[in-house]
Amino acid sequence: MAAEIKSVIPGSIAEEIGLEPGDVIEAVNGIKIKDVLDYRYLMNDEFVTITVRTRQGSVEDVEIEKDDYEDLGAEFENSLMDKAQRCANKCIFCFIDQLPDGMRSSLYFKDDDTRLSFFQGNYVTLTNLSDEEIDRLIHLRVSPVNISVQTTNPELRVKMLKNPRAARIMEYMRKFAAHNIEMNCQIVLCPGFNDGAELQRTIFDCYSLYPHVKSVAVVPVGLTKHRKGLCELQPVDKEKAEEILAHIHFWQDKFREETGTGFVYAADELYLKAELPVPSPGSYDGYSQLENGVGMWALLKHEFEEAIKDIPEGYTLPKERRITMVTGAAAFRLIEYIAKAVEKSVANIQIEVVKIPNRLFGERITVAGLLCGKDIIAGLKNT
């Protein structure tokens, strides 16, 4: 059952009223729960009545008095309380279509779920929602919504996402803005498709909805070596990354003068591809696009440099330590900088940082998070 309780947090309201693993919350205030959005919305009130089907089979109504927005303290077998929404798009840049064969089946599931957008920061295209579901998000005050826009040109968006509903992106975004729903937007940049004048159009269309559209991130398309039979795409190379960054910096200056925020931000990967310095932490205006790989480098470097100040001068480990760290090509320079700084601040420690090439997905995939165990083992054989 969708809202079946898996565990109860000690000291919580759920424990106090006697809920147990195996119990099912069927309704709140007499309204049947469709999914986790319904549950969260209905549980916000100070006084609620929940309908519980106990694991023994009896049905009980339980009245609860609590603080506004206070959580019940129950964890559920299915965090969504519903099936994950499957994506019907056939995007030309879809990373899942570029996975090698033979991996676990769950990795091939394409989701496009606004609930995951709200709770986990996923980006959604809005093409897999009916008009009624769009209205439901507004009614439930689901905000922010993270939207994978790609382009606001209707014909081009249909071409890139291969879904006729893709053309309605600005209609949906304007509707969200009219109801004060906050949005963060993403542009997966595919050279020859949504760059140049199309990129400028998309950024300024999104900016027309500021401050409801809080930010826009531009990220380079990720291309694995497993693209047989897929749309031919060009990678973002050094020259293209420099071109994109020049435009973004120009627009940032303009937007910052008008609003006090940069509004559009480049993924860290674009700076690394262009071999340009990553901006300072203050350039990211609170890191609204951190889940998108925007500002991760600056934030990690800043947090490390603050933390290392706490190491006492002349600190020495009681025993000599040798540490090996592994990372992908993208983060290697930063991780090596951190390792050398630690070695200077701490006596009796040696840190070797090993850059691991990605052979499973191809060496154009450079992020550490997509390294597999086999490649790490192979990369460490000669260390």
Side-chain angles (χ1 to χ4, degrees):
M1 292 185 181
E4 181 178 345
I5 294 172
K6 178 174 67 175
S7 62
V8 173
I9 298 172
S12 66
I13 295 172
E15 183 183 58
E16 182 182 333
I17 64 176
L19 294 180
E20 297 179 342
D23 292 347
V24 177
I25 299 177
E26 294 191 334
V28 178
N29 295 336
I31 301 173
K32 188 176 180 181
I33 296 171
K34 178 182 177 182
D35 62 13
V36 65
L37 293 181
D38 279 343
Y39 173 76
R40 295 286 188 189
Y41 178 78
L42 294 168
M43 287 296 297
N44 282 341
D45 293 340
E46 186 177 351
F47 297 97
V48 295
T49 299
I50 61 172
T51 302
V52 180
R53 182 178 296 277
T54 70
R55 59 183 179 178
Q56 290 80 21
S58 63
V59 177
E60 304 171 359
D61 285 338
V62 182
E63 295 182 352
I64 300 171
E65 181 179 356
K66 61 182 186 61
D67 294 335
D68 287 344
Y69 301 100
E70 184 178 2
D71 187 60
L72 189 62
E75 296 178 341
F76 297 91
E77 290 288 350
N78 179 352
S79 61
L80 291 177
M81 302 181 187
D82 190 17
K83 292 180 180 178
Q85 294 171 351
R86 185 180 292 274
C87 182
N89 302 332
K90 296 181 180 179
C91 300
I92 61 173
F93 50 83
C94 180
F95 196 84
I96 293 176
D97 287 340
Q98 304 178 67
L99 296 181
D101 295 332
M103 304 176 77
R104 66 178 183 271
S105 59
S106 60
L107 292 175
Y108 301 98
F109 179 80
K110 297 181 184 181
D111 74 80
D112 194 56
D113 201 311
T114 48
R115 297 162 301 186
L116 294 176
S117 174
F118 182 62
F119 291 112
Q120 298 181 13
N122 294 20
Y123 280 75
V124 293
T125 64
L126 302 181
T127 59
N128 296 289
L129 296 174
S130 66
D131 289 351
E132 290 75 20
E133 289 169 317
I134 292 287
D135 290 340
R136 178 172 174 257
L137 294 178
I138 293 170
H139 172 71
L140 297 178
R141 307 301 306 159
V142 174
S143 182
V145 177
N146 296 324
I147 304 174
S148 199
V149 175
Q150 322 316 356
T151 175
T152 53
N153 178 332
E155 293 79 16
L156 178 58
R157 196 166 194 261
V158 169
K159 179 180 179 180
M160 293 185 71
L161 275 60
K162 297 185 179 179
N163 185 328
R165 289 181 60 84
R168 301 178 66 185
I169 183 63
M170 284 303 293
E171 174 190 342
Y172 291 145
M173 289 173 62
R174 289 189 186 105
K175 192 168 188 177
F176 282 148
H179 290 86
N180 295 315
I181 301 297
E182 187 177 280
M183 295 163 273
N184 293 304
C185 296
Q186 173 197 65
I187 300 169
V188 176
L189 193 131
C190 302
F193 285 86
N194 60 344
D195 55 348
E198 293 293 350
L199 176 61
Q200 179 167 313
R201 169 181 173 162
T202 302
I203 289 171
F204 278 92
D205 280 348
C206 291
Y207 185 63
S208 71
L209 298 177
Y210 179 86
H212 305 292
V213 173
K214 182 180 177 183
S215 65
V216 173
V218 181
V219 302
V221 62
L223 302 176
T224 79
K225 65 181 181 181
H226 306 282
R227 291 194 55 82
K228 186 176 180 181
L230 300 178
C231 175
E232 186 174 343
L233 292 177
Q234 296 301 315
V236 174
D237 58 15
K238 182 176 184 293
E239 183 179 358
K240 176 58 72 172
E242 289 173 343
E243 174 192 316
I244 296 165
L245 288 173
H247 288 304
I248 289 176
H249 293 160
F250 173 81
W251 294 323
Q252 278 183 335
D253 290 343
K254 174 181 173 62
F255 298 148
R256 205 172 290 281
E257 284 181 10
E258 295 178 358
T259 68
T261 174
F263 183 73
V264 58
Y265 307 93
D268 296 356
E269 191 177 354
L270 285 171
Y271 291 98
L272 301 180
K273 287 180 178 292
E275 299 176 10
L276 292 173
V278 173
S280 64
S283 303
Y284 293 98
D285 301 313
Y287 300 102
S288 59
Q289 293 272 1
L290 197 62
E291 295 88 350
N292 229 338
V294 177
M296 283 187 172
W297 181 291
L299 181 61
L300 176 58
K301 185 172 183 289
H302 172 72
E303 290 182 338
F304 168 75
E305 289 173 344
E306 290 300 306
I308 202 170
K309 294 175 183 177
D310 294 333
I311 297 177
E313 188 174 349
Y315 182 74
T316 303
L317 291 177
K319 281 185 172 183
E320 187 174 343
R321 293 286 305 276
R322 183 180 176 187
I323 297 172
T324 300
M325 301 174 68
V326 298
T327 188
F332 176 75
R333 183 161 51 91
L334 177 58
I335 301 302
E336 188 176 51
Y337 162 77
I338 289 171
K340 290 183 182 299
V342 171
E343 286 181 335
K344 287 181 180 178
S345 299
V346 179
N348 257 357
I349 191 169
Q350 295 180 45
I351 305 175
E352 180 183 9
V353 182
V354 180
K355 179 167 55 178
I356 305 292
N358 197 320
R359 295 185 174 86
L360 177 65
F361 293 110
E363 295 194 16
R364 285 193 300 212
I365 303 300
T366 59
V367 295
L370 287 174
L371 289 173
C372 70
K374 186 176 180 180
D375 284 346
I376 293 172
I377 292 169
L380 289 174
K381 278 188 175 178
N382 296 323
T383 62

